[in-house]
């Protein structure tokens, strides 16, 4: 008897699609498995990196992708955003997926009391970590509007609740969450969906630079209902779902990939399962 192909397979077939992933620094970056899985599904992927000097940190990433484009763009510079989308337009012609995986806050802002957050640090962190989603979405819009698309941004639970140590970065995540919802509304008539992914702490360059990162990660592992370590591949799989037609009526959502940590009102140690 001949085997009939699985009809559900086509739902994760991204052949003929294109993606821009902004913020892959190295193989530990959250954006990396997202780029790889989209590429494995058939999409052609462009990575945008902050500047030429960080290119060597990509290591073998370009070789692991099928015909990737590697572009440079500091997301706080309008002229660089413009050049990025000019280059993408020339090379891809259109864009189906935009993945925002970029954040920065000056190191001293993590050491200070929240009360002492300075104006210049605030402006820089908000610009790079939150406003950049508007800048990237505006650049992507002309390349997406004819056949719709999907925009995803990486956020964190500290934008919803106080996570000691996350400081200034928590304000940028609260702003990012709001930008996700407003862009979702604004772009919905063009069938462009905008969602957020909110992973638990994972050991990336940005993650481990936050004082108390280990405490955040251990607390989650210990108390999240699923009591599991969050892997970047978990976020990659959720991204794949949101980019696929399986999620075609989902927009403006923040999906937590945290083993259920965010549903807790109180952390208690569970008795061992018998
Ligand atoms: N690691 C975690 O625990 C965690 C949890 C939830 C959300 N996030 C979010 O995931 C996203 C990706 O971070 P990551 O953890 O993969 O760390 P990462 O250090 O691998 O990635 C951060 C990226 O931001 C880029 N970047 C910083 N300033 C930039 C600028 N001006 N222009 C362009 N790019 C710039 C860096 O070059 C880097 O590629 C961030 O938004 C982060 O807040 C991380």
């Amino acid at each position: 008897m001949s085997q009939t192909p699985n009809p559900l397979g086509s739902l994760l077939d991204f052949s003929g699609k294109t993606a821009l992933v902004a913020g892959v620094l190295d193989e530990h970056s959250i954006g990396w498995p997202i780029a790889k899985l989209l590429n494995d599904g058939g999409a052609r992927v462009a990575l945008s990196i902050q500047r030429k000097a960080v290119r060597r940190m990509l290591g073998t990433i370009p070789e692991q992708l099928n015909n990737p484009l590697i572009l440079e763009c500091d997301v706080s510079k309008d002229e660089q955003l413009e050049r990025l989308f000019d280059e993408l337009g020339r090379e891809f012609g259109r864009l189906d997926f935009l993945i925002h995986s970029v954040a920065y806050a000056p190191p001293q802002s993590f050491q200070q009391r929240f009360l002492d957050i300075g104006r210049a640090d605030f402006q820089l962190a908000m610009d790079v970590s939150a406003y950049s989603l508007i800048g990237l979405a505006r650049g992507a819009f002309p390349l997406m509007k004819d056949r719709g698309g999907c925009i995803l941004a990486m956020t964190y639970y500290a934008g919803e609740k106080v996570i000691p140590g996350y400081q200034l970065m928590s304000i940028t995540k609260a702003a990012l969450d709001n930008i996700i919802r407003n862009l979702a509304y604004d772009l919905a008539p063009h069938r462009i969906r905008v969602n957020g992914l909110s992973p638990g702490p994972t050991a990336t360059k940005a993650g481990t630079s936050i004082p108390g990162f280990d405490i955040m990660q251990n607390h989650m592992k210990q108390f999240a209902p699923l009591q599991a370590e969050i892997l970047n591949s978990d976020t990659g799989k959720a991204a794949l779902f949101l980019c696929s037609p399986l999620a075609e009526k989902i927009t403006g959502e923040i999906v937590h990939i945290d083993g259920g940590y965010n549903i807790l009102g109180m952390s208690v140690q569970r008795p061992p399962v018998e």
Side-chain angles (χ1 to χ4, degrees):
M1 202 170 76
S2 69
Q3 194 99 29
T4 47
N6 178 351
L8 298 182
S10 63
L11 292 169
L12 293 177
D13 181 359
F14 299 115
S15 307
K17 308 264 186 195
T18 56
L20 169 65
V21 183
V24 175
L25 182 70
D26 56 28
E27 289 198 28
H28 303 292
S29 295
I30 291 180
W32 167 230
I34 302 178
K36 180 74 170 84
L37 285 170
L38 286 171
N39 189 242
D40 288 348
R44 183 148 181 235
V45 171
L47 302 179
S48 75
I49 58 172
Q50 185 179 358
R51 56 180 186 274
K52 202 181 252 144
V54 299
R55 196 181 176 118
R56 66 183 166 74
M57 298 190 68
L58 289 175
T60 65
I61 281 178
E63 288 94 85
Q64 295 180 59
L65 296 171
N66 183 15
N67 194 16
L69 257 189
I70 312 290
L71 304 169
E72 286 155 32
C73 177
D74 180 329
V75 296
S76 65
K77 307 271 190 297
D78 283 338
E79 66 286 358
Q80 294 193 25
L81 282 166
E82 213 171 293
R83 195 186 58 206
L84 170 72
F85 287 101
D86 281 350
E87 287 172 334
L88 265 183
R90 269 200 306 278
E91 192 69 25
F92 284 179
R94 60 166 188 265
L95 191 67
D96 297 284
F97 310 121
L98 165 64
I99 315 297
H100 177 285
S101 193
V102 171
Y104 178 78
Q108 69 273 11
S109 70
F110 292 106
Q111 310 294 343
Q112 292 165 323
R113 283 188 67 173
F114 194 86
L115 188 66
D116 293 327
I117 289 172
R119 192 187 302 271
D121 288 353
F122 179 91
Q123 287 171 342
L124 177 59
M126 286 295 261
D127 192 6
V128 174
S129 313
Y131 180 79
S132 58
L133 179 59
I134 300 178
L136 283 165
R138 190 166 49 237
F141 178 68
L143 300 176
M144 269 189 181
K145 67 178 172 43
D146 291 340
R147 44 177 232 191
C150 171
I151 299 176
L152 297 178
M154 303 307 126
T155 183
Y156 182 54
Y157 187 49
E160 303 169 51
K161 301 282 179 190
V162 174
I163 304 283
Y166 212 74
Q167 310 295 82
L168 170 56
M169 191 63 94
S170 63
I171 314 175
T172 73
K173 292 308 187 195
L176 192 70
D177 292 357
N178 187 277
I179 292 168
I180 288 165
R181 288 188 285 274
N182 272 286
L183 281 177
Y185 180 77
D186 199 21
L187 300 179
H190 306 278
R191 289 184 304 115
I192 298 172
R193 299 179 295 107
V194 187
N195 290 291
L197 290 170
S198 182
T202 65
T204 64
K205 177 94 184 341
T208 52
S209 67
I210 297 167
F213 170 82
D214 291 346
I215 299 171
M216 282 156 62
Q217 196 179 37
N218 288 333
H219 196 268
M220 216 206 71
K221 252 193 267 178
Q222 193 178 354
F223 295 111
L226 288 177
Q227 288 188 321
E229 184 176 353
I230 303 304
L231 306 173
N232 288 342
S233 56
D234 297 318
T235 307
K237 286 182 272 188
L240 216 57
F241 160 70
L242 285 170
C243 286
S244 79
L246 289 165
E248 69 188 346
K249 299 286 157 51
I250 300 178
T251 196
E253 292 288 348
I254 309 289
V255 177
H256 297 86
I257 303 128
D258 64 354
Y261 188 72
N262 74 95
I263 67 171
L264 298 174
M266 192 171 99
S267 345
V268 281
Q269 195 67 58
R270 282 198 192 196
V273 180
E274 294 185 3

Short mmCIF file of all heavy atoms in Angstrom, two decimals, residues 4 10 139 160 179 237 244 260:
data_model
loop_
_atom_site.label_atom_id
_atom_site.label_comp_id
_atom_site.label_asym_id
_atom_site.label_seq_id
_atom_site.Cartn_x
_atom_site.Cartn_y
_atom_site.Cartn_z
N THR A 4 0.42 7.73 1.94
CA THR A 4 -0.02 9.08 1.55
C THR A 4 0.77 10.12 2.35
O THR A 4 1.00 9.93 3.54
CB THR A 4 -1.53 9.29 1.81
OG1 THR A 4 -1.80 8.82 3.10
CG2 THR A 4 -2.40 8.63 0.78
N SER A 10 2.64 20.41 5.19
CA SER A 10 2.70 21.65 4.41
C SER A 10 2.53 22.89 5.30
O SER A 10 2.90 24.00 4.91
CB SER A 10 1.61 21.64 3.33
OG SER A 10 0.36 21.61 3.95
N GLY A 139 10.31 49.69 8.26
CA GLY A 139 11.14 49.33 7.12
C GLY A 139 10.61 48.10 6.41
O GLY A 139 10.67 48.00 5.17
N GLU A 160 6.16 42.79 32.92
CA GLU A 160 4.82 42.65 33.51
C GLU A 160 4.87 42.72 35.04
O GLU A 160 3.95 43.21 35.67
CB GLU A 160 4.21 41.29 33.11
CG GLU A 160 4.11 41.08 31.61
CD GLU A 160 3.76 39.63 31.28
OE1 GLU A 160 2.79 39.09 31.84
OE2 GLU A 160 4.48 39.02 30.47
N ILE A 179 4.10 48.09 22.30
CA ILE A 179 4.35 48.31 20.86
C ILE A 179 3.84 47.11 20.05
O ILE A 179 3.26 47.27 18.98
CB ILE A 179 5.86 48.59 20.62
CG1 ILE A 179 6.25 49.94 21.24
CG2 ILE A 179 6.19 48.57 19.13
CD1 ILE A 179 7.76 50.19 21.31
N LYS A 237 10.82 26.77 18.43
CA LYS A 237 9.63 26.00 18.02
C LYS A 237 8.36 26.86 18.12
O LYS A 237 7.49 26.81 17.25
CB LYS A 237 9.50 24.74 18.87
CG LYS A 237 10.53 23.68 18.48
CD LYS A 237 10.37 22.41 19.28
CE LYS A 237 11.17 22.47 20.56
NZ LYS A 237 11.23 21.22 21.31
N SER A 244 3.70 30.25 11.21
CA SER A 244 3.01 29.33 10.29
C SER A 244 1.53 29.66 10.17
O SER A 244 0.97 30.39 10.99
CB SER A 244 3.15 27.90 10.82
OG SER A 244 2.22 27.68 11.88
N GLY A 260 5.27 27.70 32.47
CA GLY A 260 4.11 28.11 33.27
C GLY A 260 4.45 29.05 34.43
O GLY A 260 3.58 29.41 35.23
#
